Amino acid sequence: MGSLPFTVSDLQTSVSGVRSNPTLLCTPLMGTTVEQMLTEMRKAKEIGADIVEIRLDCLRNFSPAQDLQILIKQSPLPTLVTYRPIWEGGQYEGDENKRQDALRLAMELGASYIDVELEVAHEFNNSIYGKKPQNFKVIVSSHNFHNTPSTEAIGNLVARIQASGADIVKIATTALDITDVARVLQVTVHSQVPTIAIVMGERGLISRLLSPKFGGYLTYGALEAGAISAPGQPTAKDLLDLYNFRLIKPDTKVYGIIGKPVGHSKSPLLFNAAFKKVGLNAVYVHLLVDDVEKFFNTYSAPDFISGCSCTIPHKEVAIKCMDTIDPIARKIGAINNIVRKPDGKLTAFNTDYIGAIEAIEDGLRESNGSSPAVGSPLAGKLFVVLGAGGAGKSLAYGAKEKGARVVVANRTFERAKDLADKVGGQALTLAEIENFHPEEGMILANTTSVGMKPKINDTPIPKHALKHYSLVFDAIYTPKDTRLLREAKESGKIIVYGTEMLIRQGFEQYKNFTGLPAPEELFRELMSKHA
């Protein structure tokens, strides 16, 4: 099931596509009682949803005539009624005739939409022929919880759904890779009928976030993180506040962060707030990527993806996909910032080393009470880097550029030696770090994941060994206060948070993406609130 490149022509279809009214935001109601659902409806309206989906199969003691009357008549928002059977991923396992009777009753009582499964759609649509209220619409849905078929198979499925008498087509597939989304989007942008297209799972997240870009009829946003009605569903609040869902249009440029894992990244928070503040028609999304080369080959349209940040484990492998690489990034052998030029060519930078080294230098200057003197306060210092991955390379190279003597410690000695040789430094294993103190006043920079959520009680170096350092930096920013930094602070050392590196490298990335100076105060304010 290969993915064809997702090209400019696909996007142009979506720009001039059949549907000009904005994508609706629908919040599923998962309450087990009518009272719970009424409370959820009010919450959904407060958050800013357009429609609520009443999931009848979630109700414990459902009596159709009484409950539907209350739910539909008292809803402050238009209603979409779904009564999902077990064979299509729902919870209902009773009589099929009773199920369809309840859906017909919902239509008669004034529901705006009914969602019925493709398997029974012909039969259902025939049963209501000539009885449909004027503004009522039937959504015919098909769910695939295993994978995402080929473009041809999806096209055939959409045609079958259209032929069943659907007013609105709904397909939900499952993403095994983020490139699966391209096949679904390719079909939806060319669809002649209003379409809801969702690719489930974390790898399919962009199918939900970007539905306004591709003319999707609606997308689903959960009331809260624990109450999702399908895998990978974002919350309505995140759609609206984090990703600026209402501002996304067919010509919106898409940026994002590629990584694995990636959901913890705070970058969308910073960039989307910045784009909104200066009125840039752009959105920044989480992109869970397994295979970088496949990702860039598939998404090759200049406004999709216009640029991305690149995090673990792709900082080194992504280099081979680039057309041009900034000379410093090439020396480091790791990139974290990719910009797609208008001609489609990819240019890569490393802003990690700038962000981290500047933060460490400022930390030293502040403690010395010295004004920014000529030269770097790192010159001549012994600079110990833990970890030899992308961030480790950035710091080792950056420290060498500033005149420091570099020591690299890594779990596998070979990797430490390889990096140390490149920067004319010394190599150690992580196990040797505890007893390594050739001099006092050294600088320590942790770039390993030791101490990162969820293992927040771990530290890469015991507390007693910190006494030989003057400054300790930790690249981890979830949590902000790692055990390493807490113990360094208790030992009276200068500490530099990973959030500083994140913020400062973000300034550089923003400049590279937009050509504009970064809104530094906004970035800092957001990080202090959310770190």
Side-chain angles (χ1 to χ4, degrees):
M1 287 189 290
S3 285
L4 300 166
F6 195 65
T7 59
V8 182
S9 63
D10 289 312
L11 292 169
Q12 281 159 350
T13 310
S14 77
V15 174
S16 60
V18 276
R19 194 166 172 272
S20 58
N21 53 322
T23 301
L24 299 167
L25 173 55
C26 176
T27 293
L29 309 179
M30 311 286 288
T32 56
T33 66
V34 170
E35 290 68 36
Q36 270 181 333
M37 280 198 180
L38 291 172
T39 305
E40 290 173 346
M41 284 173 180
R42 292 190 283 273
K43 256 197 225 163
K45 186 178 168 64
E46 270 167 43
I47 290 169
D50 302 304
I51 309 175
V52 287
E53 179 185 33
I54 299 173
R55 283 291 300 260
L56 298 178
D57 51 306
C58 292
L59 288 171
R60 281 217 189 96
N61 300 307
F62 172 51
S63 57
Q66 188 186 334
D67 296 349
L68 282 169
Q69 179 84 20
I70 297 169
L71 288 166
I72 293 167
K73 300 288 188 217
Q74 292 188 26
S75 175
L77 293 169
T79 52
L80 186 175
V81 177
T82 304
Y83 202 0
R84 191 78 71 218
I86 274 196
W87 49 263
E88 189 82 0
Q91 298 180 36
Y92 179 76
E93 45 186 338
D95 179 75
E96 180 60 22
N97 293 329
K98 282 186 181 161
R99 189 177 78 89
Q100 291 192 34
D101 285 345
L103 291 173
R104 280 186 283 271
L105 179 59
M107 174 187 84
E108 287 159 22
L109 288 170
S112 304
Y113 306 87
I114 294 294
D115 178 333
V116 66
E117 302 71 25
L118 175 59
E119 202 167 306
V120 296
H122 265 293
E123 177 194 335
F124 182 82
N125 283 326
N126 287 342
S127 78
I128 60 168
Y129 186 72
K131 299 176 194 162
K132 281 164 73 172
Q134 197 181 351
N135 291 323
F136 170 81
K137 302 258 189 299
V138 176
I139 298 168
V140 175
S141 58
S142 165
H143 297 76
N144 178 334
F145 294 97
H146 306 292
N147 58 16
T148 296
S150 65
T151 309
E152 190 186 356
I154 298 166
N156 293 340
L157 176 64
V158 169
R160 270 179 63 209
I161 295 175
Q162 284 178 7
S164 75
D167 298 308
I168 298 165
V169 168
K170 178 185 170 187
I171 52 167
T173 67
T174 298
L176 304 179
D177 189 274
I178 194 168
T179 55
D180 293 347
V181 179
R183 299 199 290 282
V184 171
L185 293 179
Q186 250 161 352
V187 173
T188 49
V189 296
H190 296 288
S191 175
Q192 296 308 302
V193 173
T195 302
I196 301 164
I198 281 153
V199 188
M200 296 180 285
E202 197 187 343
R203 287 167 177 79
L205 179 65
I206 52 171
S207 68
R208 299 170 181 277
L209 306 183
L210 301 177
S211 24
K213 184 171 176 66
F214 301 103
Y217 186 83
L218 66 74
T219 198
Y220 297 85
L223 259 189
E224 47 212 34
I228 61 168
S229 63
Q233 193 176 84
T235 64
K237 194 172 173 5
D238 275 354
L239 279 168
L240 295 169
D241 300 347
L242 173 59
Y243 299 109
N244 299 332
F245 182 77
R246 300 284 187 215
L247 302 178
I248 300 172
K249 304 193 286 279
D251 59 348
T252 296
K253 284 185 167 184
V254 180
Y255 296 89
I257 176 159
I258 62 172
K260 183 185 176 180
V262 79
H264 65 283
S265 170
K266 300 275 195 282
S267 298
L269 180 82
L270 303 182
F271 285 102
N272 287 325
F275 292 159
K276 187 177 181 178
K277 188 173 184 181
V278 299
L280 275 178
N281 181 16
V283 62
Y284 186 104
V285 296
H286 288 100
L287 301 161
L288 177 58
V289 172
D290 296 280
D291 181 331
V292 184
E293 207 167 346
K294 192 174 171 188
F295 173 78
F296 283 117
N297 287 342
T298 303
Y299 298 111
S300 52
D303 74 335
F304 190 91
I305 302 287
S306 299
C308 48
S309 312
C310 182
T311 187
I312 296 166
H314 301 315
K315 293 184 182 204
E316 296 160 60
V317 288
I319 289 177
K320 65 175 188 282
C321 309
M322 299 301 117
D323 298 296
T324 51
I325 299 163
D326 176 73
I328 298 176
R330 187 181 286 285
K331 272 187 190 166
I332 294 171
I335 59 176
N336 72 319
N337 183 216
I338 298 162
V339 177
R340 198 189 287 281
K341 300 292 184 203
D343 63 1
K345 295 261 195 290
L346 296 170
T347 302
F349 305 89
N350 186 310
T351 68
D352 276 338
Y353 88 96
I354 304 172
I357 294 295
E358 278 185 3
I360 291 168
E361 285 179 324
D362 284 354
L364 287 170
R365 286 193 189 104
E366 276 169 39
S367 75
N368 299 339
S370 61
S371 54
V374 183
S376 168
L378 284 174
K381 292 264 190 198
L382 196 60
F383 193 101
V384 179
V385 180
L386 307 183
K393 287 180 175 175
S394 303
L395 275 131
Y397 185 84
K400 179 183 190 294
E401 287 283 289
K402 299 292 188 174
R405 296 164 293 133
V406 179
V407 174
V408 181
N410 193 55
R411 208 174 47 214
T412 53
F413 180 75
E414 288 68 30
R415 281 201 78 167
K417 182 151 178 23
D418 188 43
L419 176 54
D421 288 350
K422 285 184 179 141
V423 294
Q426 183 184 350
L428 301 168
T429 64
L430 279 179
E432 291 174 289
I433 276 297
E434 182 176 350
N435 301 311
F436 177 76
H437 45 88
E439 61 189 70
E440 299 303 312
M442 302 183 291
I443 309 292
L444 181 71
N446 175 44
T447 71
T448 72
S449 59
V450 179
M452 189 172 169
K453 241 181 184 168
K455 297 185 176 175
I456 56 171
N457 295 319
D458 294 355
T459 181
I461 178 170
K463 186 174 181 178
H464 69 83
L466 295 172
K467 63 174 182 275
H468 306 291
Y469 296 88
S470 61
L471 178 146
V472 177
F473 162 79
D474 198 338
I476 292 170
Y477 60 87
T478 49
K480 180 182 176 180
D481 257 311
T482 57
R483 181 177 162 189
L484 172 65
L485 291 180
R486 284 201 312 275
E487 293 184 342
K489 200 174 187 176
E490 287 160 12
S491 309
K493 307 303 166 189
I494 308 160
I495 62 166
V496 177
Y497 290 109
T499 48
E500 264 309 301
M501 170 176 168
L502 180 76
I503 289 168
R504 291 173 187 239
Q505 62 81 28
F507 296 163
E508 294 297 315
Q509 293 209 40
Y510 185 88
K511 276 184 230 166
N512 292 341
F513 286 151
T514 65
L516 304 168
E520 298 189 5
E521 271 178 40
L522 178 69
F523 271 33
R524 288 196 177 284
E525 193 187 308
L526 287 164
M527 280 311 292
S528 67
K529 246 192 254 173
H530 297 276

